[in-house]
Amino acid sequence: VTVLCLPRRIAELLPDDLPDGVRLVTWNGRDQPVPADCATVDLLVPSYMAGALDAATLVRFSRLRAIQLLSAGYDGWPAVTPAGVRLCNGSGIHGGSTAELAVAGISALLRDWPRFERYRAEHQWRDDRTDAIAGKHAVVVGAGDIGRRIGTALEAFGAEVSLVGRTAREGVHWAEELPGLRASADIVVLAAPLTEQTRGLVDAGFLAGLRDGAILVNIARGGWVDTGALVAELNARRLRAVLDVTDPEPLPAGHALWDAPNLVLTPHIGGGTTGWDVRSAALVADQVRRLHAGEPLRHVVHLG
Amino acid sequence: VTVLCLPRRIAELLPDDLPDGVRLVTWNGRDQPVPADCATVDLLVPSYMAGALDAATLVRFSRLRAIQLLSAGYDGWPAVTPAGVRLCNGSGIHGGSTAELAVAGISALLRDWPRFERYRAEHQWRDDRTDAIAGKHAVVVGAGDIGRRIGTALEAFGAEVSLVGRTAREGVHWAEELPGLRASADIVVLAAPLTEQTRGLVDAGFLAGLRDGAILVNIARGGWVDTGALVAELNARRLRAVLDVTDPEPLPAGHALWDAPNLVLTPHIGGGTTGWDVRSAALVADQVRRLHAGEPLRHVVHLG
């Protein structure tokens, strides 16, 4: 099994006891020419958050069997994945830290943390009553690793949670039920991949169907949401939002989102926290062993 | 069954369909004289966070069978609870919102939220890598409603959690194991009642046994912790803390904690958020029905 692992940090963290015959090829994936031995590569591990490689490059990897991404999202990749190649996402690597960011962001809005920071600066012990997650109805769109972690934490904090997935199953609502669930939601969390089906799904009409004061959380991809429509709802102070991803991204200085009210805004920091490299290397090592042993790969999200 | 419910808001929210013969007595519990018919009261519901009534008052409630508190903590009450009277705490009323506050506070320290607020004010999209809850070892002292909710959420965010209770049982460490667990803890959460056994337990020696950079979380009662010893560790920037309760409380202006570094400080707002009144009335109504039916009460924490 020949592995081309673009992020040097992850290659360095791979264990010494990989199966015999596993060979690592190096390439920085950017300005260097594609390595001559690309035709020997079985598994390609692209850089985290660098975007999809182009189809013309990938087609030169003539023996490629799988692409292992280090992100949960995989937008842009299905279109360029060569025929017969399995595309795997990095499920589990960023799930905990992304769920943490989403829930902490919701809490910052509901509990009005800035108010208590102000009181503290004034040495004022004022225990004003605020809202909280308890008793809220949260609709979590996406029943994968991240969505389930968010649901578990929100339930622990006393919310009623509805998980929505592409297919109905035990404990998961069908995507077609989303318009109905939306009407009773206090919180809607986007925690599913950006695909051709989900791009722009949260548009002016979707937002209009949300209750006054509802909180939209996007820790998936900016392309889910019509940014202009959301800015209008925020500026009207009708809706609230927690955004770790935006469209466009990065957000240019002067963009209307920077100063919008009712908004917790962070610069795509849900994943990539301390330990992401160790978790990434462990997943790559496991997939290499599986390829070597002829076992099924984990987290296959698309077959080219 | 005669019920004396001091918080008027909770009395108003009690359902209309309480069993026949249930009678509500009113008294504000403070400046008004104790009502003449106090000798008829079976169940006393004191005001939330008002502190224990004095023993001389309570002894006049000669038929009293139970005291139902609306807080999770019950410090001060065992000493004044008349012989044979069951003391019940408000387990479940504040659990979700208190757990939410504890976990959001931990996240605020680890993810360095103030840094990203600063970047936002400058319209700077800077995705600096930070720490996160994932991969941390959290020791949660207290395996009741609040401690379990905190443990569930921290696990969902990728932490390894050790619950510590007064007695060892399935999934719960024995209190005597705490000194050993403490040495490997990144986070120690105090989520158990303040009693004569736990008062001052977190002293200079306990704190010295924590790792550099460890986070102490107190959402229980200020009396657990030697405030002076903690202030010294914070000012030395060796430890970090999340405090929703303090000793003294309320914290007077000018107290050293207000401006201590490495600290998230809130004014005892873990409980008492939106919906606490509805959850309180539901618990009181259920206990009234149990008394009327001769069934065992829930959440008995002490027998006088």
Side-chain angles (χ1 to χ4, degrees):
Chain A
V1 175
T2 300
V3 181
L4 176 48
C5 181
L6 271 66
R8 187 178 303 192
R9 175 77 186 139
I10 306 307
E12 286 169 359
L13 286 171
L14 290 177
D16 294 330
D17 63 344
L18 288 174
D20 285 345
V22 169
R23 198 168 68 89
L24 274 173
V25 174
T26 55
W27 175 43
N28 75 0
R30 294 273 148 219
D31 46 343
Q32 287 178 3
V34 179
D37 50 1
C38 65
T40 68
V41 171
D42 299 280
L43 175 67
L44 173 66
V45 183
S47 296
Y48 176 52
M49 289 185 47
L53 291 168
D54 60 89
T57 300
L58 283 168
V59 88
R60 295 180 55 192
F61 290 73
S62 52
R63 211 178 78 182
L64 195 64
R65 293 152 68 193
I67 298 171
Q68 176 61 55
L69 303 177
L70 302 180
S71 54
Y74 52 86
D75 43 300
W77 282 97
V80 298
T81 301
V85 172
R86 276 155 293 174
L87 178 67
C88 306
N89 79 342
S91 178
I93 296 174
H94 310 285
S97 67
T98 305
E100 177 194 341
L101 190 86
V103 176
I106 294 166
S107 183
L109 281 176
L110 290 172
R111 305 293 283 258
D112 199 1
W113 281 77
R115 173 200 310 224
F116 295 101
E117 285 164 22
R118 220 160 49 234
Y119 291 164
R120 181 180 173 189
E122 298 162 355
H123 290 202
Q124 278 203 74
W125 187 273
R126 284 185 56 177
D127 57 347
D128 296 358
R129 201 142 287 176
T130 68
D131 208 345
I133 287 170
K136 296 286 177 287
H137 178 210
V139 175
V140 179
V141 184
D145 178 56
I146 297 176
R148 287 183 182 277
R149 288 172 185 267
I150 292 171
T152 298
L154 291 175
E155 271 179 359
F157 298 155
E160 180 206 336
V161 173
S162 305
L163 285 181
V164 178
R166 269 171 298 183
T167 51
R169 49 200 190 276
E170 179 69 31
V172 178
H173 293 269
W174 185 35
E176 300 281 316
E177 295 175 70
L178 180 55
L181 290 166
R182 179 184 61 180
S184 68
D186 301 297
I187 302 164
V188 173
V189 183
L190 306 176
L194 177 64
T195 64
E196 288 320 302
Q197 287 72 49
T198 60
R199 183 175 297 279
L201 198 126
V202 178
D203 57 9
F206 184 101
L207 294 171
L210 293 175
R211 279 181 177 176
D212 288 357
I215 297 176
L216 177 76
V217 181
N218 191 2
I219 44 83
R221 287 291 181 272
W224 266 87
V225 179
D226 177 336
T227 303
L230 179 60
V231 166
E233 293 276 17
L234 294 175
N235 283 340
R237 292 173 197 265
R238 201 187 73 79
L239 296 180
R240 298 182 283 180
V242 175
L243 302 180
D244 187 47
V245 292
T246 58
D247 177 23
E249 188 177 313
L251 211 56
H255 190 284
L257 269 178
W258 285 114
D259 301 316
N262 283 4
L263 172 66
V264 169
L265 175 66
T266 48
H268 206 146
I269 54 170
T273 57
T274 308
W276 83 278
D277 47 1
V278 175
R279 291 189 291 276
S280 294
L283 175 57
V284 171
D286 185 48
Q287 300 282 55
V288 168
R289 281 196 201 92
R290 286 165 178 268
L291 269 184
H292 188 264
E295 292 170 12
L297 293 178
R298 295 164 67 198
H299 311 317
V300 176
V301 292
H302 178 82
L303 178 63
Chain B
V1 176
T2 301
V3 180
L4 176 49
C5 182
L6 271 67
R8 185 179 304 193
R9 175 77 188 138
I10 306 306
E12 287 170 358
L13 286 171
L14 290 177
D16 294 329
D17 63 345
L18 287 175
D20 284 348
V22 169
R23 199 170 67 89
L24 273 173
V25 175
T26 55
W27 176 43
N28 74 2
R30 295 273 147 217
D31 47 341
Q32 287 178 6
V34 178
D37 49 2
C38 64
T40 67
V41 171
D42 297 280
L43 175 68
L44 172 66
V45 183
S47 296
Y48 176 52
M49 287 183 51
L53 291 168
D54 61 272
T57 300
L58 283 169
V59 89
R60 295 180 55 190
F61 290 73
S62 52
R63 208 178 80 182
L64 194 63
R65 293 154 68 194
I67 299 170
Q68 175 61 56
L69 303 178
L70 302 179
S71 54
Y74 50 86
D75 43 299
W77 283 96
V80 299
T81 301
V85 171
R86 276 155 292 174
L87 178 66
C88 305
N89 79 342
S91 178
I93 296 174
H94 309 286
S97 67
T98 304
E100 177 194 341
L101 190 86
V103 176
I106 294 166
S107 184
L109 280 177
L110 289 173
R111 305 292 284 257
D112 199 2
W113 281 77
R115 173 200 310 224
F116 296 102
E117 285 164 22
R118 222 160 47 232
Y119 291 163
R120 180 179 173 190
E122 299 162 356
H123 289 203
Q124 278 202 73
W125 187 272
R126 283 185 55 176
D127 57 348
D128 296 358
R129 200 142 287 173
T130 69
D131 207 344
I133 287 170
K136 295 286 179 285
H137 178 210
V139 174
V140 180
V141 184
D145 179 55
I146 297 176
R148 287 182 182 278
R149 289 172 185 267
I150 292 172
T152 298
L154 291 176
E155 271 180 357
F157 298 156
E160 181 207 334
V161 174
S162 305
L163 285 182
V164 178
R166 268 171 299 183
T167 51
R169 48 201 192 273
E170 179 70 31
V172 178
H173 294 268
W174 186 34
E176 300 280 317
E177 295 175 69
L178 180 55
L181 290 166
R182 179 185 61 180
S184 68
D186 301 299
I187 301 163
V188 173
V189 183
L190 306 176
L194 178 64
T195 65
E196 289 319 304
Q197 286 71 48
T198 60
R199 185 177 296 280
L201 198 124
V202 178
D203 57 9
F206 185 100
L207 295 171
L210 293 175
R211 279 182 178 176
D212 288 358
I215 297 175
L216 177 76
V217 181
N218 192 1
I219 44 81
R221 286 292 181 271
W224 265 88
V225 179
D226 176 337
T227 303
L230 179 60
V231 166
E233 292 277 18
L234 296 174
N235 283 340
R237 293 173 198 266
R238 201 188 75 77
L239 296 180
R240 298 183 281 181
V242 175
L243 302 180
D244 187 46
V245 291
T246 57
D247 176 25
E249 187 177 315
L251 211 56
H255 191 284
L257 268 179
W258 284 115
D259 301 315
N262 283 4
L263 173 66
V264 168
L265 176 66
T266 48
H268 207 147
I269 55 171
T273 57
T274 309
W276 84 278
D277 47 2
V278 175
R279 291 189 291 276
S280 294
L283 174 58
V284 171
D286 185 48
Q287 300 282 56
V288 168
R289 282 197 200 91
R290 284 164 179 269
L291 269 182
H292 188 264
E295 293 170 11
L297 293 178
R298 293 163 68 197
H299 311 317
V300 177
V301 291
H302 178 82
L303 177 64

